[in-house]
Amino acid sequence: GTFWRIVKHKSTEEFESLPYICTLLNSSLWTYYGVTKPDGFLVATVNGFGIVVETVYITLFLIFAPTKKKATTATLVGILDVGFLLAAILVTQLALQGGARIDAIGFMCAGLNIIMYGSPLSAMRTVATTKSVEYMPFFLSFFLFLNGGIWAFYAFLVRDYFLGVPNGTGFVLGTAQLVLYAVYRNAKPSRSIENELEEGEQHENLLSSANQTHGTWDTR
């Protein structure tokens, strides 16, 4: 949806590039992990596809974003997706060998994954505060739950803790989001939100009345 919306409007609108930049770094590290680990073909293949998708998104930002956002995107890509990734590869290749190398890459991947899985916590807090699921799309929560669950199950089968811990965390957070969605999907916004809306409407009405009165004075 985001892809076609940007292309159709020829604008990135209010979308931010940072999530895609971080996801590209995440996919790149997991691909490196999958290539390095003897039985990591599936991990490398899936995340290799992720690299292609995220590269397309970032390219769109570099084409259609305003000049300032283009510069920010290019800088972050250079720091994270090129600089950090190359540094991680060089350090692990030159300083580590065998199991130690795989473990170091696994720790980096797991750490970044947990940080990324933690980002929906702000959306969950918003839902609990406003009693509305408007800012927590169902399918995003569902795929967080599904993706985390499948990878956690795979990690359990192959005894891979680096895959299991972050994806288990994602599965738990996805489950919590679906529970929140079930609880608040038909709920009305909290009273405080309604009061704010009413106050906003009253304020607009007062401004409108004042403008009308001012306009009457001007015509005299």
Side-chain angles (χ1 to χ4, degrees), residues 15-22 58 61 69 72-74 76:
F15 293 112
E16 294 296 332
S17 60
L18 184 59
Y20 303 104
I21 292 169
C22 290
I58 292 170
F61 269 89
K69 193 173 284 188
T72 303
T73 299
L76 289 172

Side-chain angles (χ1 to χ4, degrees), residues 1-11 13 15:
T2 305
F3 176 94
W4 293 116
R5 183 169 171 175
I6 291 174
V7 173
K8 182 179 179 181
H9 295 156
K10 292 183 170 52
S11 170
E13 300 175 7
F15 293 112

Side-chain angles (χ1 to χ4, degrees), residues 25 76-90:
L25 175 60
L76 289 172
V77 168
I79 294 172
L80 296 175
D81 294 327
V82 179
F84 182 85
L85 180 63
L86 284 177
I89 293 173
L90 286 173

Side-chain angles (χ1 to χ4, degrees), residues 39-149:
D39 57 350
F41 176 76
L42 181 62
V43 176
T45 303
V46 172
N47 285 282
F49 177 73
I51 290 174
V52 175
V53 174
E54 298 308 321
T55 299
V56 170
Y57 274 117
I58 292 170
T59 301
L60 289 177
F61 269 89
L62 294 173
I63 294 172
F64 295 117
T67 304
K68 187 176 180 180
K69 193 173 284 188
K70 280 182 184 178
T72 303
T73 299
T75 302
L76 289 172
V77 168
I79 294 172
L80 296 175
D81 294 327
V82 179
F84 182 85
L85 180 63
L86 284 177
I89 293 173
L90 286 173
V91 170
T92 52
Q93 285 292 327
L94 297 175
L96 301 170
Q97 293 182 350
R101 179 185 297 163
I102 295 172
D103 289 347
I105 303 168
F107 273 116
M108 284 190 291
C109 292
L112 184 59
N113 241 33
I114 289 173
I115 291 171
M116 293 181 66
Y117 273 138
S119 60
L121 289 173
S122 59
M124 294 171 69
R125 184 171 63 248
T126 301
V127 171
T129 302
T130 64
K131 307 292 188 292
S132 169
V133 295
E134 180 182 359
Y135 298 105
M136 191 177 73
F138 171 77
F139 283 107
L140 195 62
S141 301
F142 177 72
F143 284 115
L144 176 64
F145 161 82
L146 193 64
N147 181 72

Side-chain angles (χ1 to χ4, degrees), residues 187-205:
K188 294 181 179 179
S190 63
R191 187 64 191 164
S192 61
I193 300 299
E194 289 178 347
N195 288 340
E196 289 177 8
L197 291 174
E198 289 175 2
E199 288 174 4
E201 289 176 359
Q202 291 172 3
H203 185 62
E204 287 180 2
N205 289 335

